[in-house]
Amino acid sequence: MAELSLPDLDPTSDRAVFRQIADHIRNAIERGVLAEGDKVPSEAQLMQHYGVARMTVRNALQVLQGEGLTVAEHGRGVFVRSHPPVRRLASDRFARRHRQSGKAAFIVETEGAGGKPSVDFIKVTEERPSVEVAEKLGITLEDLVVCRSRRYLINGQPVEMARSYVPVEIARGTRIAEPDSGPGGIYARLEELGFQLDHFVEDIQSRMPLRDEARALKLAPGVPVFRLVRTAYTVDGRAIEVCDTVMSSDAYVLSYELPAR
């Protein structure tokens, strides 16, 4: 424990011992004494330092894992969880210049943060829209949409899942309905089809992940997600795409520039 120098327990505190231990380690993480990827002292080291039972130490480590601060790797120990934050600039991410240069928003943002972007689990289907999607696109529940499902990764770590819905009369027979939509993504393809984009509306909620979401994004216990639903509008006010995205909350900083006028 010489490297870390954790404080001793406070015998006068009414705070449970395992929570005091969790507080000490959390404080070391917040101060950068334990950096991302660093190994947390072992159970044996913590037991010796604090003079407590193994179960007390395990309860403390479970608190930190539940907060999304640490991750346990079988056979190796407990490590400070890495967080590859990407600053998601709402005012710039869908700028036309990016798709004209052949780069979708995710690629621009990830590369700007020094990460390596990739996409997997791509699936394209035709299906009936949900009530929410139908209302946003101004279509009926009997109409068809082309649905593009995919998962986004940064440096091999999954960070978000997205499902885009485009009316079938627009997307069918185009690259939007193919797994590889081409340079600049589907927004570039929509504008090539003559649908000039004017603005986007995003609704964001925070919640705990569903079981399948936690598994697909490899989320640590206690890590919430952002659910972001975006609607794309053309210059004549028509909604032509809805994107339903679930994002790991510790992978992104959502940054917005709002005019004061």
Short mmCIF file of all heavy atoms in Angstrom, two decimals, residues 11-45:
data_model
loop_
_atom_site.label_atom_id
_atom_site.label_comp_id
_atom_site.label_asym_id
_atom_site.label_seq_id
_atom_site.Cartn_x
_atom_site.Cartn_y
_atom_site.Cartn_z
N PRO A 11 -12.79 5.49 13.34
CA PRO A 11 -13.61 4.67 14.26
C PRO A 11 -14.76 5.45 14.89
O PRO A 11 -15.69 4.86 15.42
CB PRO A 11 -12.60 4.22 15.33
CG PRO A 11 -11.53 5.27 15.29
CD PRO A 11 -11.43 5.71 13.86
N THR A 12 -14.72 6.78 14.80
CA THR A 12 -15.78 7.59 15.39
C THR A 12 -16.93 7.86 14.41
O THR A 12 -17.96 8.40 14.79
CB THR A 12 -15.23 8.94 15.88
OG1 THR A 12 -14.79 9.71 14.76
CG2 THR A 12 -14.06 8.72 16.84
N SER A 13 -16.72 7.49 13.13
CA SER A 13 -17.74 7.76 12.11
C SER A 13 -18.88 6.76 12.21
O SER A 13 -18.67 5.58 12.53
CB SER A 13 -17.11 7.69 10.72
OG SER A 13 -18.09 7.82 9.72
N ASP A 14 -20.08 7.23 11.93
CA ASP A 14 -21.22 6.32 11.89
C ASP A 14 -21.42 5.75 10.49
O ASP A 14 -22.40 5.04 10.22
CB ASP A 14 -22.49 7.02 12.37
CG ASP A 14 -22.84 8.25 11.52
OD1 ASP A 14 -22.10 8.55 10.56
OD2 ASP A 14 -23.87 8.91 11.82
N ARG A 15 -20.50 6.08 9.58
CA ARG A 15 -20.57 5.55 8.21
C ARG A 15 -20.02 4.13 8.22
O ARG A 15 -18.96 3.87 8.80
CB ARG A 15 -19.79 6.44 7.25
CG ARG A 15 -19.97 6.10 5.78
CD ARG A 15 -19.54 7.26 4.91
NE ARG A 15 -19.59 6.99 3.49
CZ ARG A 15 -20.71 6.98 2.76
NH1 ARG A 15 -21.87 7.20 3.34
NH2 ARG A 15 -20.66 6.74 1.47
N ALA A 16 -20.70 3.22 7.54
CA ALA A 16 -20.27 1.82 7.51
C ALA A 16 -18.83 1.70 7.03
O ALA A 16 -18.38 2.47 6.17
CB ALA A 16 -21.20 1.02 6.61
N VAL A 17 -18.12 0.72 7.57
CA VAL A 17 -16.70 0.55 7.24
C VAL A 17 -16.49 0.35 5.75
O VAL A 17 -15.59 0.95 5.15
CB VAL A 17 -16.11 -0.63 8.05
CG1 VAL A 17 -14.72 -1.00 7.52
CG2 VAL A 17 -16.02 -0.28 9.53
N PHE A 18 -17.31 -0.49 5.13
CA PHE A 18 -17.10 -0.74 3.69
C PHE A 18 -17.32 0.52 2.87
O PHE A 18 -16.67 0.72 1.83
CB PHE A 18 -17.98 -1.91 3.20
CG PHE A 18 -19.42 -1.58 2.97
CD1 PHE A 18 -19.88 -1.22 1.71
CD2 PHE A 18 -20.35 -1.64 4.01
CE1 PHE A 18 -21.22 -0.93 1.47
CE2 PHE A 18 -21.68 -1.37 3.78
CZ PHE A 18 -22.13 -1.00 2.53
N ARG A 19 -18.22 1.40 3.34
CA ARG A 19 -18.44 2.66 2.62
C ARG A 19 -17.28 3.62 2.82
O ARG A 19 -16.93 4.38 1.92
CB ARG A 19 -19.76 3.29 3.04
CG ARG A 19 -20.98 2.44 2.64
CD ARG A 19 -22.27 3.21 2.66
NE ARG A 19 -23.39 2.36 2.29
CZ ARG A 19 -23.73 2.08 1.03
NH1 ARG A 19 -23.02 2.59 0.03
NH2 ARG A 19 -24.76 1.29 0.76
N GLN A 20 -16.65 3.61 3.99
CA GLN A 20 -15.46 4.42 4.21
C GLN A 20 -14.34 3.99 3.26
O GLN A 20 -13.65 4.82 2.68
CB GLN A 20 -14.99 4.31 5.66
CG GLN A 20 -15.87 4.98 6.68
CD GLN A 20 -15.21 5.02 8.04
OE1 GLN A 20 -14.07 5.48 8.16
NE2 GLN A 20 -15.92 4.56 9.07
N ILE A 21 -14.17 2.68 3.11
CA ILE A 21 -13.14 2.17 2.21
C ILE A 21 -13.44 2.59 0.77
O ILE A 21 -12.54 3.05 0.04
CB ILE A 21 -13.04 0.63 2.32
CG1 ILE A 21 -12.60 0.24 3.74
CG2 ILE A 21 -12.07 0.08 1.28
CD1 ILE A 21 -12.65 -1.25 4.01
N ALA A 22 -14.71 2.46 0.37
CA ALA A 22 -15.10 2.88 -0.98
C ALA A 22 -14.85 4.37 -1.15
O ALA A 22 -14.39 4.81 -2.21
CB ALA A 22 -16.57 2.55 -1.23
N ASP A 23 -15.13 5.18 -0.12
CA ASP A 23 -14.89 6.62 -0.18
C ASP A 23 -13.42 6.92 -0.44
O ASP A 23 -13.07 7.80 -1.24
CB ASP A 23 -15.33 7.30 1.12
CG ASP A 23 -16.83 7.27 1.34
OD1 ASP A 23 -17.57 7.03 0.35
OD2 ASP A 23 -17.26 7.50 2.48
N HIS A 24 -12.53 6.19 0.26
CA HIS A 24 -11.09 6.43 0.12
C HIS A 24 -10.61 6.13 -1.31
O HIS A 24 -9.85 6.91 -1.90
CB HIS A 24 -10.31 5.56 1.11
CG HIS A 24 -10.59 5.89 2.55
ND1 HIS A 24 -10.18 5.07 3.59
CD2 HIS A 24 -11.23 6.94 3.13
CE1 HIS A 24 -10.55 5.61 4.74
NE2 HIS A 24 -11.20 6.74 4.49
N ILE A 25 -11.07 5.01 -1.85
CA ILE A 25 -10.63 4.63 -3.20
C ILE A 25 -11.25 5.58 -4.23
O ILE A 25 -10.58 5.99 -5.19
CB ILE A 25 -11.01 3.17 -3.49
CG1 ILE A 25 -10.31 2.24 -2.50
CG2 ILE A 25 -10.62 2.80 -4.93
CD1 ILE A 25 -10.72 0.79 -2.61
N ARG A 26 -12.52 5.93 -4.04
CA ARG A 26 -13.16 6.87 -4.96
C ARG A 26 -12.42 8.20 -4.97
O ARG A 26 -12.21 8.80 -6.03
CB ARG A 26 -14.62 7.09 -4.55
CG ARG A 26 -15.39 7.98 -5.54
CD ARG A 26 -16.76 8.38 -5.01
NE ARG A 26 -17.59 7.24 -4.64
CZ ARG A 26 -17.81 6.89 -3.38
NH1 ARG A 26 -17.28 7.59 -2.37
NH2 ARG A 26 -18.58 5.85 -3.12
N ASN A 27 -12.05 8.68 -3.80
CA ASN A 27 -11.31 9.94 -3.71
C ASN A 27 -9.98 9.85 -4.44
O ASN A 27 -9.57 10.80 -5.12
CB ASN A 27 -11.09 10.30 -2.24
CG ASN A 27 -10.39 11.63 -2.06
OD1 ASN A 27 -9.20 11.68 -1.78
ND2 ASN A 27 -11.14 12.72 -2.22
N ALA A 28 -9.31 8.71 -4.34
CA ALA A 28 -8.04 8.53 -5.05
C ALA A 28 -8.25 8.57 -6.56
O ALA A 28 -7.42 9.10 -7.32
CB ALA A 28 -7.39 7.21 -4.63
N ILE A 29 -9.38 8.00 -7.03
CA ILE A 29 -9.70 8.02 -8.46
C ILE A 29 -10.01 9.44 -8.91
O ILE A 29 -9.52 9.92 -9.93
CB ILE A 29 -10.88 7.08 -8.76
CG1 ILE A 29 -10.48 5.63 -8.50
CG2 ILE A 29 -11.35 7.25 -10.20
CD1 ILE A 29 -11.62 4.64 -8.59
N GLU A 30 -10.82 10.15 -8.12
CA GLU A 30 -11.22 11.51 -8.49
C GLU A 30 -10.03 12.46 -8.50
O GLU A 30 -10.01 13.41 -9.29
CB GLU A 30 -12.30 12.01 -7.53
CG GLU A 30 -13.64 11.28 -7.69
CD GLU A 30 -14.65 11.68 -6.65
OE1 GLU A 30 -14.26 12.32 -5.64
OE2 GLU A 30 -15.85 11.35 -6.82
N ARG A 31 -9.04 12.23 -7.64
CA ARG A 31 -7.87 13.10 -7.59
C ARG A 31 -6.80 12.70 -8.60
O ARG A 31 -5.80 13.38 -8.76
CB ARG A 31 -7.26 13.10 -6.19
CG ARG A 31 -8.12 13.78 -5.13
CD ARG A 31 -7.41 13.92 -3.79
NE ARG A 31 -7.15 12.62 -3.18
CZ ARG A 31 -5.94 12.11 -2.99
NH1 ARG A 31 -4.86 12.77 -3.38
NH2 ARG A 31 -5.79 10.93 -2.42
N GLY A 32 -7.03 11.59 -9.29
CA GLY A 32 -6.08 11.15 -10.29
C GLY A 32 -4.92 10.36 -9.73
O GLY A 32 -3.99 10.00 -10.46
N VAL A 33 -4.95 10.08 -8.41
CA VAL A 33 -3.91 9.24 -7.83
C VAL A 33 -4.00 7.84 -8.42
O VAL A 33 -2.99 7.19 -8.69
CB VAL A 33 -4.04 9.20 -6.29
CG1 VAL A 33 -2.99 8.27 -5.68
CG2 VAL A 33 -3.90 10.60 -5.71
N LEU A 34 -5.23 7.38 -8.60
CA LEU A 34 -5.49 6.16 -9.37
C LEU A 34 -6.05 6.61 -10.71
O LEU A 34 -7.15 7.14 -10.78
CB LEU A 34 -6.49 5.26 -8.65
CG LEU A 34 -5.97 4.39 -7.50
CD1 LEU A 34 -7.12 3.68 -6.81
CD2 LEU A 34 -4.96 3.37 -8.01
N ALA A 35 -5.28 6.43 -11.77
CA ALA A 35 -5.68 6.89 -13.09
C ALA A 35 -6.42 5.80 -13.85
O ALA A 35 -6.46 4.64 -13.43
CB ALA A 35 -4.46 7.34 -13.88
N GLU A 36 -7.04 6.17 -14.96
CA GLU A 36 -7.73 5.19 -15.80
C GLU A 36 -6.79 4.06 -16.17
O GLU A 36 -5.66 4.28 -16.60
CB GLU A 36 -8.28 5.86 -17.05
CG GLU A 36 -9.39 6.87 -16.79
CD GLU A 36 -9.97 7.44 -18.06
OE1 GLU A 36 -9.58 6.96 -19.15
OE2 GLU A 36 -10.80 8.36 -17.98
N GLY A 37 -7.27 2.83 -15.99
CA GLY A 37 -6.47 1.67 -16.31
C GLY A 37 -5.59 1.18 -15.19
O GLY A 37 -5.03 0.08 -15.26
N ASP A 38 -5.44 1.98 -14.12
CA ASP A 38 -4.63 1.56 -12.98
C ASP A 38 -5.32 0.44 -12.22
O ASP A 38 -6.55 0.39 -12.12
CB ASP A 38 -4.37 2.73 -12.03
CG ASP A 38 -3.29 3.67 -12.53
OD1 ASP A 38 -2.66 3.35 -13.55
OD2 ASP A 38 -3.10 4.72 -11.90
N LYS A 39 -4.51 -0.41 -11.62
CA LYS A 39 -5.05 -1.50 -10.82
C LYS A 39 -5.32 -1.02 -9.40
O LYS A 39 -4.48 -0.37 -8.78
CB LYS A 39 -4.08 -2.68 -10.80
CG LYS A 39 -4.64 -3.93 -10.14
CD LYS A 39 -3.67 -5.10 -10.27
CE LYS A 39 -4.26 -6.36 -9.66
NZ LYS A 39 -3.31 -7.51 -9.80
N VAL A 40 -6.51 -1.31 -8.92
CA VAL A 40 -6.87 -0.99 -7.54
C VAL A 40 -6.17 -1.99 -6.62
O VAL A 40 -5.97 -3.15 -7.00
CB VAL A 40 -8.41 -1.08 -7.38
CG1 VAL A 40 -8.83 -0.91 -5.92
CG2 VAL A 40 -9.09 -0.03 -8.25
N PRO A 41 -5.75 -1.57 -5.42
CA PRO A 41 -5.13 -2.53 -4.49
C PRO A 41 -5.96 -3.79 -4.36
O PRO A 41 -7.19 -3.76 -4.38
CB PRO A 41 -5.07 -1.75 -3.18
CG PRO A 41 -4.95 -0.33 -3.60
CD PRO A 41 -5.80 -0.21 -4.85
N SER A 42 -5.29 -4.92 -4.23
CA SER A 42 -5.98 -6.21 -4.17
C SER A 42 -6.78 -6.36 -2.89
O SER A 42 -6.61 -5.59 -1.92
CB SER A 42 -4.96 -7.35 -4.26
OG SER A 42 -4.16 -7.36 -3.08
N GLU A 43 -7.65 -7.35 -2.87
CA GLU A 43 -8.42 -7.63 -1.67
C GLU A 43 -7.50 -7.88 -0.49
O GLU A 43 -7.73 -7.38 0.63
CB GLU A 43 -9.33 -8.84 -1.89
CG GLU A 43 -10.49 -8.59 -2.85
CD GLU A 43 -11.38 -9.81 -2.98
OE1 GLU A 43 -11.10 -10.83 -2.29
OE2 GLU A 43 -12.35 -9.76 -3.76
N ALA A 44 -6.44 -8.66 -0.71
CA ALA A 44 -5.50 -8.97 0.37
C ALA A 44 -4.83 -7.71 0.90
O ALA A 44 -4.66 -7.54 2.12
CB ALA A 44 -4.46 -9.97 -0.11
N GLN A 45 -4.43 -6.82 -0.01
CA GLN A 45 -3.78 -5.57 0.42
C GLN A 45 -4.74 -4.70 1.22
O GLN A 45 -4.35 -4.12 2.26
CB GLN A 45 -3.28 -4.80 -0.81
CG GLN A 45 -2.08 -5.43 -1.49
CD GLN A 45 -1.71 -4.69 -2.76
OE1 GLN A 45 -2.56 -4.41 -3.60
NE2 GLN A 45 -0.43 -4.37 -2.90
#
